[in-house]
Amino acid sequence: MARDLGILVIVVLVLAATCQSAVVSPVSESHRSAALELFSPAHGSYGSLEETYEALKTFKVLGIEKKHAIRTSSCASVADTLKSTSSALKDFFDALRVNSILKCELNSEAVRGTQSRLKDSLNGASSLIDFYYSIGGLVLLKEQMSEVDVNLGDADRIFRSIKALGQSDGRWRLSSNNPESSNNAAGIALEALAGVISLATPQIDNSWITTLKNDILKLFDGIERYDDGTYYFDEKHVGARGHQSPLSSSASVVRGIAAVAAATSETLNLPGEKIMGLAKFFLGVGVPGSAQDLYHQIDALSYLENIRESTPLILSLPATVISVTKKDQLKVRVSTLLGSPAPTLSVRLMQIFVSGSKDASVIDQELKFDAVSGMHVLETLPKNIDVGSYIFSFEVIFHNPEHKKTYVSGGRTRVLVHITGVIKIDNAEIVILDGDRGSVENQKKLKLPGDNAVALSANHLQKLRLSFDMSTPFGNAFKPHQAFLKLRHESGVDHIFLVGNSGKKFEIILDFLGLVEKFFYLPGRYNIQLTVGDADMENSFLQPLGFVELDLPDAPEKATRPPPQAVDPYSRYGPKAEITHIFRAPEKRPAKELSLTFLGLVLVPFFGFLAGLVQLGANLKNFPKSTVPSTFAILFHLGIAAVLALYTLFWLKLDLFTTLKALGFLGMFLMFVGHKTLSHLASTSSKLKSV
């Protein structure tokens, strides 16, 4: 029963999760928690300046104050990078991006050197990446230090060089040698061109800006689209910078468009529907699992929020499950992508669709705005709304007509809403009927849901009837997703039946005469269990009702036998009985005194050997005193000691084969050093005799 109850609960939770997953919500505390977890510095710093900037920018957009924790190490890295003559353009660019947030104290000489290096690189730049880093670095210098001269006198030439890499479909190539174009490169090119416009002296010709606006519109012509109105930029090829995900490619394009919008005073005439679709794409990602993806998401959302035209507004519902029993109110929130309050506006409920049907009710009702919570509240549900699943269609109405030019709400927003409630169950009973006359043999009232323990008995000529009425809190008929009656034999065989309904009344009649074959002619006790559940039913239940004792005829010879019961996985894969090891009994050993006595007897020959040396008059008078002969003599005696040690090891642990190999080596060693020692002694003896 616990397993079946788990399945019922899972079904309800999955349906509820499906309802909420269709709602796009602005940036929340979940993003801030993820940022603190994903952008966690190691030993007070990040791996590179690029990672440092991504972390700082994400923290800044989300309003997380964490600059002081990495300021010292990051500023030191920025200063070293700008001073170094071997730093690449990308290093300068990343260092200046970090400095734009941390505002480090920089050496003026290093800054002038960086400005000179970036300007010089523009003369020999041939790839889009070189232009991007050089121009981006100069733009950052202009924003951070107004006294530095970063204006471009040859802006037209640079603009044309970058524009030459563009394609007719609005995408760009990374270099003239690379035939593949991409949306990611288009975003990089737009940022670079926007930088050229802001640094140009004199200003760029307006015809170039018009051409750039047309390129942006062409780029939107090739945007990808999902069925729910979500738009995104994808890559068809893998370029030199590796594969770019739709998230990073879309973020690159958004940065480029925002940069162009900020650099020019003209209106770009961006398609509001597609800008809104991009916003839904970034929010629909949820909370990314990697630091770089989170940076792309948050960075793109910040640019979309601050874009000069077509700023998206998000309509979201804090809760999409509304309980009529608890008298919940439907609340709607309209905010920017990062959760900031929207301008003055109204929210109207235009239509309500029954989920899974095309039928709609025209409502056109304005929600009441609560200034304290910032929510638009539907105080009472329309009269034709009952427990069930509905699609609510909302529309945002701006109070100021000028806001229509700067904000985009995406038209009507449809949200799947579940109206839940406690379902009333009445007239529940279980009856044993006579098979011929249909008269009541035994009748038991039931409390659903509640504790029941009925005890019934029947034979194969009788019937079992279960019936109950179900109605919503408004008194209307209610049909749940699940209504099952299960009979389980004491041997473990289950029989499941669907409970049908007609309006409010649910009823099932089991004719045991027609079910004897399905029951495999198994007499005995059958436990009765009823399951009624629905995602919109707050009092779904799975509970036992009692049992019925069935008297069935004997099975014929060719009757179908019951299927073998499934083996309990716990008994098959669960822990086995503990293995008890039986060890050999310890051998009997001699007494400690006897062992010590034997040791003493073993040492007797050694002491006898020493006594023999004394009796023979052994002495060290003739031990060589010269350096070389004495060395050979010492080695000879050490070799003798090694042989004795080898014998001891053989006695303790070594095998015969290993001992013989070692003994052969020691024998040759002793022969050599012994020969040298004896030769010296013989020479010394002959000299003494001659004297």
Side-chain angles (χ1 to χ4, degrees), residues 224-370:
E224 303 289 340
R225 183 183 187 276
Y226 287 126
D227 293 338
D228 61 354
T230 300
Y231 288 87
Y232 66 98
F233 290 96
D234 199 4
E235 299 294 6
K236 297 180 174 61
H237 304 283
V238 178
R241 289 166 62 88
H243 177 71
Q244 302 295 321
S245 66
L247 184 62
S248 61
S249 297
S250 301
S252 177
V253 173
V254 168
R255 291 189 200 101
I257 295 173
V260 173
T264 63
S265 58
E266 298 186 13
T267 303
L268 299 182
N269 297 321
L270 298 175
E273 178 188 1
K274 295 180 180 179
I275 293 294
M276 188 69 187
L278 278 171
K280 289 182 177 179
F281 169 74
F282 288 114
L283 291 175
V285 172
V287 181
S290 71
Q292 194 169 56
D293 286 346
L294 180 61
Y295 160 71
H296 286 313
Q297 181 197 42
I298 300 301
D299 191 43
L301 290 173
S302 68
Y303 281 114
L304 286 174
E305 175 150 328
N306 296 314
I307 203 167
R308 193 177 66 243
E309 55 181 286
S310 302
T311 302
L313 294 178
I314 296 298
L315 185 148
S316 60
L317 275 67
T320 57
V321 178
I322 308 299
S323 173
V324 295
T325 303
K326 300 176 182 178
K327 297 182 180 180
D328 293 340
Q329 293 180 326
L330 188 144
K331 298 180 180 179
V332 176
R333 180 188 181 193
V334 181
S335 65
T336 63
L337 303 178
L338 299 179
S340 301
T344 54
L345 51 79
S346 300
V347 177
R348 300 190 70 86
L349 175 60
M350 305 303 295
Q351 290 178 301
I352 297 179
F353 298 84
V354 178
S355 180
S357 173
K358 295 182 180 180
D359 298 334
S361 301
V362 179
I363 305 298
D364 195 9
Q365 178 180 349
E366 182 175 340
L367 277 64
K368 182 180 179 181
F369 180 69
D370 182 3

Side-chain angles (χ1 to χ4, degrees), residues 358-598:
K358 295 182 180 180
D359 298 334
S361 301
V362 179
I363 305 298
D364 195 9
Q365 178 180 349
E366 182 175 340
L367 277 64
K368 182 180 179 181
F369 180 69
D370 182 3
V372 177
S373 63
M375 299 286 185
H376 299 263
V377 182
L378 181 64
E379 294 181 324
T380 57
L381 292 173
K383 294 182 179 180
N384 58 340
I385 298 300
D386 205 338
V387 174
S389 300
Y390 300 88
I391 297 176
F392 283 53
S393 178
F394 299 97
E395 185 172 346
V396 173
I397 308 296
F398 293 104
H399 294 174
N400 187 348
E402 292 297 321
H403 288 160
K404 294 182 179 180
K405 301 178 182 179
T406 55
Y407 293 96
V408 56
S409 60
R412 292 192 180 182
T413 303
R414 293 187 176 187
V415 182
L416 180 62
V417 178
H418 280 271
I419 307 299
T420 66
V422 174
I423 303 302
K424 187 178 181 181
I425 304 176
D426 297 318
N427 304 323
E429 64 177 11
I430 187 168
V431 179
I432 298 298
L433 302 174
D434 182 78
D436 295 330
R437 300 184 300 274
S439 58
V440 176
E441 296 286 339
N442 193 353
Q443 182 179 16
K444 299 288 184 179
K445 295 292 184 180
L446 300 174
K447 182 182 179 181
L448 299 178
D451 294 330
N452 298 279
V454 300
L456 303 172
S457 62
N459 57 42
H460 66 288
L461 299 177
Q462 294 177 315
K463 300 177 182 179
L464 183 146
R465 184 184 71 194
L466 173 69
S467 61
F468 53 90
D469 297 338
M470 297 186 70
S471 58
T472 67
F474 300 103
N476 299 318
F478 179 78
K479 184 177 181 180
H481 289 145
Q482 297 178 341
F484 300 117
L485 179 68
K486 182 169 75 171
L487 272 64
R488 168 171 286 186
H489 189 257
E490 53 193 349
S491 64
V493 180
D494 290 338
H495 306 282
I496 300 176
F497 305 92
L498 178 65
V499 181
N501 75 300
S502 176
K504 297 181 181 180
K505 188 172 185 61
F506 285 75
E507 184 180 69
I508 182 172
I509 298 178
L510 301 182
D511 186 353
F512 295 127
L513 182 60
L515 294 174
V516 288
E517 291 187 5
K518 185 174 181 178
F519 285 179
F520 306 108
Y521 293 90
L522 292 177
R525 175 178 292 192
Y526 285 80
N527 292 321
I528 307 172
Q529 180 179 286
L530 179 62
T531 301
V532 177
D534 192 279
D536 303 323
M537 180 178 174
E538 296 180 9
N539 56 333
S540 298
F541 62 88
L542 183 155
Q543 66 178 59
L545 303 181
F547 68 89
V548 57
E549 192 79 27
L550 281 183
D551 181 14
L552 300 180
D554 296 334
E557 294 182 2
K558 297 183 179 181
T560 305
R561 305 306 301 167
Q565 296 302 300
V567 179
D568 184 7
Y570 186 82
S571 63
R572 175 181 293 182
Y573 303 107
K576 304 298 181 182
E578 182 181 357
I579 300 175
T580 304
H581 296 279
I582 301 176
F583 298 95
R584 185 179 63 180
E587 298 178 355
K588 187 176 181 180
R589 296 186 178 185
K592 182 178 180 180
E593 294 77 7
L594 182 61
S595 298
L596 293 175
T597 303
F598 179 76

Side-chain angles (χ1 to χ4, degrees), residues 70-262:
I70 59 173
R71 180 181 179 83
T72 302
S73 60
S74 299
C75 283
S77 181
V78 169
D80 293 341
T81 301
L82 297 181
K83 289 179 183 178
S84 175
T85 57
S86 60
S87 298
L89 292 175
K90 183 180 185 302
D91 298 331
F92 286 128
F93 178 69
D94 290 333
L96 292 171
R97 288 202 299 176
V98 172
N99 187 60
S100 67
I101 298 177
L102 293 181
K103 310 296 182 184
C104 304
E105 296 181 2
L106 301 178
N107 185 285
S108 58
E109 184 177 346
V111 173
R112 286 193 296 270
T114 302
Q115 174 258 348
S116 177
R117 175 79 180 276
L118 293 174
K119 274 196 169 184
D120 292 342
S121 64
L122 286 174
N123 296 326
S126 59
S127 68
L128 180 59
I129 298 300
D130 292 339
F131 283 115
Y132 173 71
Y133 289 141
S134 301
I135 297 170
L138 292 173
V139 171
L140 290 168
L141 279 176
K142 180 181 179 180
E143 294 173 352
Q144 298 170 31
M145 301 172 187
S146 58
E147 68 275 8
V148 179
D149 181 19
V150 293
N151 294 325
L152 300 178
D154 56 346
D156 282 340
R157 178 190 65 82
I158 298 174
F159 197 99
R160 285 194 297 269
S161 299
I162 299 175
K163 189 68 179 66
L165 299 175
Q167 302 294 294
S168 59
D169 58 358
R171 297 188 297 171
W172 252 264
R173 295 175 296 161
L174 291 174
S175 68
S176 57
N177 298 326
N178 184 5
E180 301 294 348
S181 58
S182 66
N183 292 314
N184 183 68
I188 295 173
L190 291 176
E191 280 194 81
L193 292 173
V196 174
I197 294 173
S198 63
L199 299 175
T201 304
Q203 294 183 352
I204 292 290
D205 189 86
N206 283 336
S207 61
W208 285 112
I209 298 178
T210 302
T211 303
L212 188 58
K213 290 167 56 178
N214 293 332
D215 290 336
I216 293 176
L217 295 179
K218 290 178 183 178
L219 199 58
F220 275 105
D221 290 339
I223 195 171
E224 303 289 340
R225 183 183 187 276
Y226 287 126
D227 293 338
D228 61 354
T230 300
Y231 288 87
Y232 66 98
F233 290 96
D234 199 4
E235 299 294 6
K236 297 180 174 61
H237 304 283
V238 178
R241 289 166 62 88
H243 177 71
Q244 302 295 321
S245 66
L247 184 62
S248 61
S249 297
S250 301
S252 177
V253 173
V254 168
R255 291 189 200 101
I257 295 173
V260 173

